[in-house]
Amino acid sequence: MKVRTRTCSPKRCAYFLVCVLTMLWIMNCLKTQTQTQTQYHEPKDTMATVMVPKVYTYSHNNHQNFCVYRPLSPKDALEEKLLLESISWPATPVWPEPLSLERTTDPAHSTFTILPRNGGGQWQEGDRLEALIKLRDFRGLPKTSGGDVLLARMHDPVLSAGVAGQVVDHGDGSYSAFFSLLWKGRAQVEVTLVHPSEAVTVLRRLTKEQPDRISFQSLFSSGGHSETTTCNVCLRPTQQPICNYVDPRTGEPWVCLKPKTLGCHTRINHSKGAFVQDLKPKEELLFQSGVNMKVSIPPSGPDTITVLRRKKGAAEVKSGNLESPVGYYYQGVWRALDGTTIQQFHTSSAVCQCLKGKMIHLYGDSTIRQWYEYLVATVPDLKDFNLHSRTQVGPFMALDYTNNIMVTYRCHGPPIRFVDIPVSELRYIANELDGLVGGANTVVVIGIWSHFSTFPHQVYIRRLLSIRGAVERLLDRAPDTLVVIRTANLKELTLYETLTNSDWYSMQRDKLLRAMFRGLNVRLVDAWEMGLAHELPHSLHPQPAIIKNMTDVLLSYICTPSTKR
């Protein structure tokens, strides 16, 4: 039997080929459109663009797969690389599961020893003292690697004196704490283990795998219908459409899941959501108050020395190229070591005289809001103008008509862990600075760090880059403007606070903040050293005695003629 083969006529073959090519073109367009829509972009005409997310492979070990980063110029990308290298932390041990405490750092078995004065003789003002710290585990065996988080200070409770020490990691389980001897009399050394190196391993992993462990949400409402959806700068992959709220001026990203029945433009507010604690078995044992978190390390010998007044002509003892402290407390008063004269503003009239004719703009988190509250409470003539704002959120304004003083506070833009912030009040600091005229009667104070602790460093670096750019533009057009940066500070730690705002997280962001503004014509209020050197307990919102010293530094920058900027 013959098999008949059916051939395609030229006309039919051409038609079939056109159909195939058309289908391939349509599929390619759809693929390209999907890829384009999931890339970071800056909407030009709208504040909210719906993005249909691309379906891609997700690895929970890499936050870069679902965190949105603002693109950087080659210059900024190089700076970011150098900044990340500057805060690199020593490698920390990875332990098999379940974790066993016995091989981790135990402050009770660890010790510190005050080393003899270099060159011998008695301690004198201006000397540098070194204390050698040796860490051991719960078995009493020496640690052989670094990466532990330690704090050191020297103080005298009788004189209400204190200064922060500088800790150097030798990488072998031993550390050195260096102190400047700045007052005559008694000086006691204190060393604290904040976290064992094994805890740092966990904190690192959380940032890498769970940068979204604190969630955020927004309420959408229109026509009597409301929906609440999840928002973040690190939003995990989903098949749901996404509302992109990238800031058109700074390029700062922020995204929310699109409501099922409402448009992106119906967004009403921003709020902190839930916290998800996802530790591996027994990891919580690494974060125990009184056991291995914020616990003092005992001395192996005397922990106190006597400091004599420096003899005339005697040379100061130095310890390498270590940085000196920025200041110290004496009789409860902060004394700067950079030549700044710190005045004491004990009365409301003294504060009013200092601020007369000034506009003080405070931008940042609740640690900056605390300064606003302190000034309003301290100066009776500075009246809070009721803007009907929420107590935690702001914005706030206080006026003294007689002395022509205005003080304002505004919180920074997302990510921020406040509740029920109206979308209209979500402002980025850089944009606010660009709206200022500036001048000799304008003071700008910026404090932004705490709410970025759960995110990769890249998120914080980009925010600081945009703020620094705005500061530079402000100082270019109004060089007489005073810009003051408040640094991060230490806090009391619980398990929750540690997993979201550990001092280790704050320490790294503090270093980034200082490096970002180094070399600019700005002043620094060193909240880190002012909290560490003081005898009061660490707190996210420092107690009034510390706040008064901080605001005295701020007011001295404003009102001391001899202060150099």
Side-chain angles (χ1 to χ4, degrees):
M1 183 178 71
K2 291 184 178 180
V3 178
R4 298 179 61 185
T5 58
R6 188 173 182 179
T7 60
C8 179
S9 67
K11 184 176 181 180
R12 183 173 294 176
C13 286
Y15 177 78
F16 177 78
L17 182 61
V18 169
C19 290
V20 171
L21 291 175
T22 301
M23 288 295 296
L24 290 174
W25 179 79
I26 292 173
M27 291 173 65
N28 183 66
C29 287
L30 289 173
K31 180 180 179 182
T32 302
Q33 182 183 25
T34 302
Q35 290 175 338
T36 302
Q37 287 175 320
T38 55
Q39 292 175 353
Y40 173 91
H41 66 283
E42 182 176 321
K44 294 180 174 58
D45 301 320
T46 61
M47 290 300 292
T49 300
V50 180
M51 301 192 302
V52 181
K54 170 186 174 184
V55 180
Y56 51 85
T57 303
Y58 166 61
S59 169
H60 73 279
N61 289 323
N62 192 342
H63 58 68
Q64 294 182 353
N65 278 7
F66 62 97
C67 290
V68 183
Y69 296 144
R70 174 170 65 86
L72 295 179
S73 67
K75 178 183 176 182
D76 288 344
L78 175 60
E79 182 176 7
E80 179 185 71
K81 178 178 179 293
L82 296 175
L83 285 170
L84 292 173
E85 290 174 355
S86 72
I87 63 168
S88 62
W89 197 260
T92 52
V94 178
W95 295 95
E97 301 175 28
L99 178 73
S100 172
L101 265 189
E102 66 175 10
R103 295 178 183 271
T104 67
T105 307
D106 177 18
H109 278 97
S110 304
T111 60
F112 73 86
T113 304
I114 296 177
L115 300 183
R117 182 177 184 267
N118 189 12
Q122 294 180 300
W123 294 103
Q124 300 179 27
E125 289 178 296
D127 285 349
R128 278 288 186 96
L129 178 146
E130 179 182 357
L132 181 62
I133 306 162
K134 293 187 176 181
L135 300 186
R136 295 177 178 270
D137 61 24
F138 281 83
R139 301 170 300 171
L141 298 179
K143 295 294 292 291
T144 57
S145 60
D148 300 85
V149 185
L150 299 169
L151 297 174
R153 75 171 183 132
M154 177 175 282
H155 66 113
D156 179 6
V158 176
L159 291 175
S160 295
V163 65
Q166 182 181 358
V167 177
V168 175
D169 187 345
H170 299 303
D172 58 1
S174 68
Y175 301 76
S176 289
F178 294 93
F179 303 90
S180 296
L181 304 186
L182 299 168
W183 62 85
K184 174 189 172 184
R186 183 174 176 271
Q188 181 180 0
V189 172
E190 181 180 281
V191 178
T192 301
L193 175 72
V194 179
H195 294 305
S197 57
E198 296 80 10
V200 173
T201 300
V202 177
L203 296 175
R204 274 176 159 160
R205 178 179 60 79
L206 290 177
T207 298
K208 186 175 183 180
E209 298 178 6
Q210 303 170 32
D212 58 343
R213 57 190 178 278
I214 290 183
S215 66
F216 300 90
Q217 60 190 30
S218 277
L219 173 68
F220 296 77
S221 182
S222 180
H225 177 67
S226 298
E227 294 182 46
T228 299
T229 72
T230 300
C231 306
N232 214 312
V233 70
C234 296
L235 198 60
R236 292 178 183 267
T238 174
Q239 295 300 310
Q240 289 182 244
I242 294 172
C243 293
N244 183 4
Y245 297 103
V246 61
D247 182 67
R249 294 176 64 182
T250 64
E252 291 291 344
W254 192 255
V255 292
C256 298
L257 296 179
K258 183 186 178 299
K260 294 180 180 179
T261 61
L262 296 175
C264 294
H265 66 282
T266 63
R267 182 173 175 232
I268 301 297
N269 70 3
H270 164 93
S271 290
K272 173 189 173 184
F275 165 67
V276 177
Q277 179 178 312
D278 188 15
L279 293 176
K280 295 179 180 179
K282 295 189 177 182
E283 281 185 339
E284 71 276 3
L285 297 177
L286 294 170
F287 306 99
Q288 300 181 77
S289 297
V291 177
N292 54 10
M293 184 169 69
K294 280 280 179 91
V295 179
S296 294
I297 292 176
S300 62
D303 63 355
T304 303
I305 63 168
T306 299
V307 182
L308 304 179
R309 190 176 302 280
R310 175 161 298 282
K311 297 178 181 178
K312 289 185 178 181
E316 291 187 7
V317 177
K318 300 291 184 181
S319 296
N321 296 319
L322 297 172
E323 294 183 5
S324 298
V326 300
Y328 66 104
Y329 288 104
Y330 189 77
Q331 296 181 341
V333 174
W334 184 254
R335 296 183 175 185
L337 293 173
D338 64 353
T340 302
T341 301
I342 306 299
Q343 297 185 42
Q344 299 302 300
F345 296 84
H346 294 304
T347 64
S348 60
S349 60
V351 177
C352 282
Q353 187 61 35
C354 173
L355 298 182
K356 192 171 185 177
K358 302 290 185 182
M359 294 180 291
I360 297 88
H361 301 289
L362 307 170
Y363 302 104
D365 53 35
S366 58
T367 63
I368 282 291
R369 186 189 68 221
Q370 192 179 14
W371 288 13
Y372 174 90
E373 294 165 347
Y374 177 85
L375 288 172
V376 172
T378 302
V379 184
D381 292 334
L382 195 57
K383 303 296 184 182
D384 196 24
F385 188 87
N386 188 1
L387 297 175
H388 302 285
S389 305
R390 292 180 62 90
T391 303
Q392 183 189 40
V393 174
F396 302 124
M397 176 187 293
L399 300 169
D400 178 348
Y401 288 101
T402 303
N403 294 292
N404 194 28
I405 301 170
M406 180 175 73
V407 182
T408 68
Y409 164 77
R410 181 175 288 279
C411 66
H412 64 74
I416 187 163
R417 302 173 199 155
F418 290 172
V419 176
D420 194 17
I421 306 177
V423 169
S424 60
E425 298 296 352
L426 284 175
R427 312 282 183 85
Y428 290 95
I429 293 176
N431 292 339
E432 294 298 299
L433 297 182
D434 283 338
L436 292 180
V437 175
N441 293 320
T442 301
V443 180
V444 171
V445 185
I446 301 169
I448 178 170
W449 55 277
S450 178
H451 296 253
F452 289 79
S453 57
T454 56
F455 295 99
H457 296 307
Q458 290 89 336
V459 176
Y460 187 54
I461 289 173
R462 282 160 171 75
R463 182 62 55 87
L464 293 182
L465 282 169
S466 68
I467 294 173
R468 186 182 67 183
V471 168
E472 290 172 332
R473 292 189 292 273
L474 173 61
L475 294 177
D476 279 345
R477 66 178 178 270
D480 291 336
T481 307
L482 173 62
V483 178
V484 180
I485 308 296
R486 183 204 191 277
T487 73
N489 62 263
L490 298 157
K491 65 184 300 185
E492 181 183 5
L493 295 181
T494 62
L495 178 59
Y496 166 78
E497 295 292 349
T498 299
L499 301 184
T500 58
N501 251 34
S502 162
D503 285 344
W504 182 67
Y505 290 140
S506 301
M507 182 184 296
Q508 292 179 306
R509 277 144 193 83
D510 185 65
K511 292 178 180 178
L512 291 172
L513 179 69
R514 294 167 190 267
M516 185 66 67
F517 288 95
R518 187 173 293 126
L520 267 66
N521 187 24
V522 301
R523 301 307 303 265
L524 211 67
V525 176
D526 201 318
W528 187 273
E529 285 199 18
M530 295 183 78
L532 175 56
H534 205 280
E535 60 189 3
L536 288 172
H538 300 162
S539 175
L540 175 63
H541 300 109
Q543 295 187 34
I546 300 176
I547 293 299
K548 183 190 183 303
N549 275 288
M550 289 181 179
T551 53
D552 280 347
V553 174
L554 171 64
L555 294 170
S556 296
Y557 289 158
I558 297 171
C559 305
T560 304
S562 60
T563 297
K564 295 181 180 180
R565 292 165 53 191

